[in-house]
């Protein structure tokens, strides 16, 4: 997709990234901080220590209501009925022609509230696909533009974040969340 | 790790079964394409996404052609790079099922030269 500067959506921390010397590149309609120090040193840092990725360009949808799970079950390939509150599941939307609309993560906030995290480049396509399949009045909110997302990754990730919260981050299990 | 990147390894034309995403495709319920995907799982697919590592020198890239030893096209690279952790060139590709087994010898066409590679099991990096 061709894009001029003024069509580029910015993420909340854009000015801070720029001030800190990040290399900003256009990605899926957003300016994304792609690198600070170079790919190899950043790769090693995440493998051996901890790194933070600003993935705020990614999309977030909230699905709410009695039929939220029913909608998710009909449009995704994995079995979201296995989720309990605070659990996350990797899944995909098959496209009705044997292909894939997108891959995504499904978060169960409670039994009537789910969050879907989707690829930035597919936000509009996914939203339309969900709306088309939303035949039972599930309340849908596209909160992508007002949601920031930082992925803190690496063996020291929990330790790096621990001073920010009273929760015991080291005790959190794989593919779970808390608020 | 061998995770799929949308737009590279999976897209509107690749099925979750072809992409090795059978583990997130559950036939205990009905969903978009569930009958078709179940049939693919039972009867097999014509291509499979595999991980591979280069044996001879060369870095695979998206859309490079995969060949057999005779030079016949058997698939296409979806992702590829030089792995800093493994100090090897690695990639992912859709190949015909008969070449999808771990250890299968395949060749990546890099600038018109067939460079030897072998199919490996994901994740590439085991800590």
């Amino acid at each position: 997709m061709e894009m001029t500067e003024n069509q580029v959506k910015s993420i909340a921390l854009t000015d801070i990234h720029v001030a800190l010397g990040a290399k900003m590149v256009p990605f899926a309609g957003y300016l994304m901080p792609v690198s600070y120090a170079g790919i190899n040193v950043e790769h090693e840092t995440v493998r051996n220590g901890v790194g933070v990725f600003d993935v705020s360009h990614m999309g977030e949808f909230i699905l709410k209501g009695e039929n939220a799970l029913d909608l998710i079950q009909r449009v995704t390939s994995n079995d979201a009925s296995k989720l309990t509150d605070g659990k996350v599941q990797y899944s995909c939307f098959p496209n009705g022609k044997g292909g894939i609309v997108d891959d995504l993560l499904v978060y169960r906030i409670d039994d009537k509230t789910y969050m879907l995290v989707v690829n930035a480049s597919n936000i509009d396509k996914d939203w339309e696909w969900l709306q088309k399949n939303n035949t039972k009045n599930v309340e849908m909110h596209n909160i992508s533009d007002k949601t920031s997302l930082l992925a803190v990754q690496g063996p020291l990730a929990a330790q790096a974040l621990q001073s920010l919260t009273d929760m015991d981050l080291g005790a959190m299990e794989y593919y779970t969340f808390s608020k | 790790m061998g995770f799929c990147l949308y737009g590279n390894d999976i897209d509107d034309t690749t099925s979750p079964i072809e992409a090795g995403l059978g583990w997130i495709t559950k036939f205990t319920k009905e969903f978009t394409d569930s009958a078709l995907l179940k049939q693919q799982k039972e009867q097999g697919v014509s291509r499979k996404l595999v991980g591979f590592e280069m044996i001879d020198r060369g870095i695979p890239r998206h859309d490079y052609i995969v060949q057999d030893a005779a030079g016949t096209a058997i698939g296409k690279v979806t992702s590829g790079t030089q792995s800093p952790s493994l100090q090897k060139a690695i990639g992912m590709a859709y190949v015909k099922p008969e070449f999808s087994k771990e250890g299968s010898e395949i060749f990546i066409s890099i600038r018109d030269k067939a460079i030897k590679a072998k199919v490996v099991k994901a994740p590439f990096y085991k800590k």
Side-chain angles (χ1 to χ4, degrees):
Chain A
M1 205 194 309
E2 263 194 313
M3 212 145 11
T4 58
E5 275 303 303
N6 55 14
Q7 284 174 294
V8 172
K9 289 199 218 177
S10 70
I11 53 175
L13 299 180
T14 297
D15 292 348
I16 292 171
H17 286 304
V18 171
L20 292 173
K23 182 184 173 194
M24 306 294 287
V25 299
F27 178 79
Y30 293 82
L31 265 187
M32 177 179 75
V34 73
S35 161
Y36 272 90
I39 191 163
N40 282 311
V41 63
E42 288 174 9
H43 177 96
E44 289 304 325
T45 302
V46 173
R47 277 269 189 249
N48 303 314
V50 55
V52 183
F53 298 80
D54 189 336
V55 286
S56 298
H57 55 282
M58 293 188 77
E60 295 85 9
F61 305 148
I62 300 286
L63 303 188
K64 233 178 167 152
E66 292 294 331
N67 294 312
L69 177 61
D70 170 82
L71 174 58
I72 292 165
Q73 288 289 67
R74 286 186 288 114
V75 297
T76 67
S77 60
N78 209 339
D79 185 358
S81 74
K82 299 280 188 228
L83 288 169
T84 52
D85 294 354
K87 292 235 180 231
V88 187
Q89 183 181 70
Y90 179 60
S91 197
C92 79
F93 300 129
N95 70 357
K97 297 176 196 160
I100 300 172
V101 178
D102 200 4
D103 61 339
L104 73 152
L105 291 174
V106 181
Y107 290 62
R108 177 168 140 156
I109 295 168
D110 62 49
D111 64 341
K112 293 181 188 64
T113 316
Y114 293 80
M115 179 170 74
L116 310 185
V117 178
V118 303
N119 283 298
S121 51
N122 293 333
I123 292 173
D124 294 343
K125 182 175 75 162
D126 293 350
W127 182 254
E128 280 166 29
W129 181 251
L130 278 167
Q131 283 201 314
K132 197 176 136 190
N133 284 280
N134 184 13
T135 48
K136 296 179 191 168
N137 281 317
V138 174
E139 192 182 322
M140 289 175 44
H141 301 279
N142 181 353
I143 59 166
S144 305
D145 285 346
K146 56 178 181 185
T147 306
S148 291
L149 179 56
L150 300 177
V152 184
Q153 300 186 357
L156 301 180
Q159 197 184 313
L161 288 173
Q162 191 57 72
S163 68
L164 301 175
T165 175
D166 291 333
M167 268 184 258
D168 181 3
L169 296 178
M172 286 187 77
E173 284 173 33
Y174 193 53
Y175 268 63
T176 62
F177 68 98
S178 194
K179 51 175 184 173
Chain B
M1 290 301 291
F3 291 138
C4 292
L5 174 62
Y6 194 91
N8 271 49
D9 310 306
I10 52 175
D11 61 30
D12 285 302
T13 68
T14 61
S15 102
I17 303 302
E18 292 170 339
L21 296 177
W23 64 280
I24 60 159
T25 308
K26 300 289 164 61
F27 301 112
T28 47
K29 59 162 204 170
E30 275 189 26
F31 58 93
T32 319
D33 286 338
S34 55
L36 172 69
L37 297 176
K38 188 160 189 253
Q39 188 188 351
Q40 288 185 358
K41 189 155 191 176
E42 286 165 0
Q43 297 176 8
V45 285
S46 59
R47 56 177 181 173
K48 282 185 171 171
L49 187 63
V50 296
F52 64 87
E53 62 181 47
M54 300 305 296
I55 294 171
D56 292 334
R57 206 177 164 78
I59 299 176
R61 299 292 183 197
H62 184 74
D63 274 350
Y64 283 7
I65 300 295
V66 184
Q67 302 172 338
D68 64 12
T72 306
I74 54 160
K76 215 179 237 187
V77 174
T78 57
S79 290
T81 192
Q82 172 72 23
S83 162
S85 294
L86 300 172
Q87 302 281 306
K88 280 176 192 166
I90 58 172
M92 293 180 20
Y94 282 101
V95 296
K96 291 187 173 176
E98 55 268 37
F99 294 91
S100 65
K101 259 178 79 179
E102 194 181 345
S104 299
E105 191 179 76
I106 58 174
F107 295 82
I108 312 301
S109 178
I110 302 178
R111 283 178 286 277
D112 289 330
K113 270 192 178 159
I115 313 291
K116 197 192 284 185
K118 70 168 181 193
V119 172
V120 297
K121 226 177 151 165
F124 294 100
Y125 177 81
K126 287 125 186 142
K127 55 177 167 182

